[in-house]
Amino acid sequence: MADSSQSLSYQIGEAKGQAQEKASNLMDKASDAAQSTKESIQEAGQQIQAKAQGAVDAVKDAIDTKK
């Protein structure tokens, strides 16, 4: 009886360890995805800012040439 109890305890420990490893891997993947998304959003924001600045400069140039 002690052998089957120890075997069951071992199997439970193994399953717990595997579940923790899978959870850790999923958290790593989620963190990587979040970081990638953050970087993409920052890059898009910089592109929009550059385009807006270009539009402002074009309007300023157009106004200056009419003076």
Side-chain angles (χ1 to χ4, degrees):
M1 193 73 155
D3 284 343
S4 64
S5 177
Q6 287 176 339
S7 177
L8 182 58
S9 180
Y10 175 80
Q11 290 173 352
I12 290 171
E14 281 286 306
K16 180 181 176 185
Q18 289 174 1
Q20 288 173 333
E21 181 67 23
K22 286 181 182 179
S24 178
N25 288 339
L26 286 173
M27 291 298 290
D28 289 344
K29 287 180 183 179
S31 178
D32 290 346
Q35 182 64 31
S36 178
T37 300
K38 178 183 172 185
E39 290 169 3
S40 294
I41 290 170
Q42 287 175 335
E43 191 173 314
Q46 289 171 350
Q47 289 174 355
I48 291 168
Q49 187 176 13
K51 287 180 182 182
Q53 185 61 50
V56 168
D57 291 343
V59 169
K60 285 181 180 178
D61 290 345
I63 292 171
D64 286 343
T65 58
K66 291 185 178 185
K67 287 185 178 178

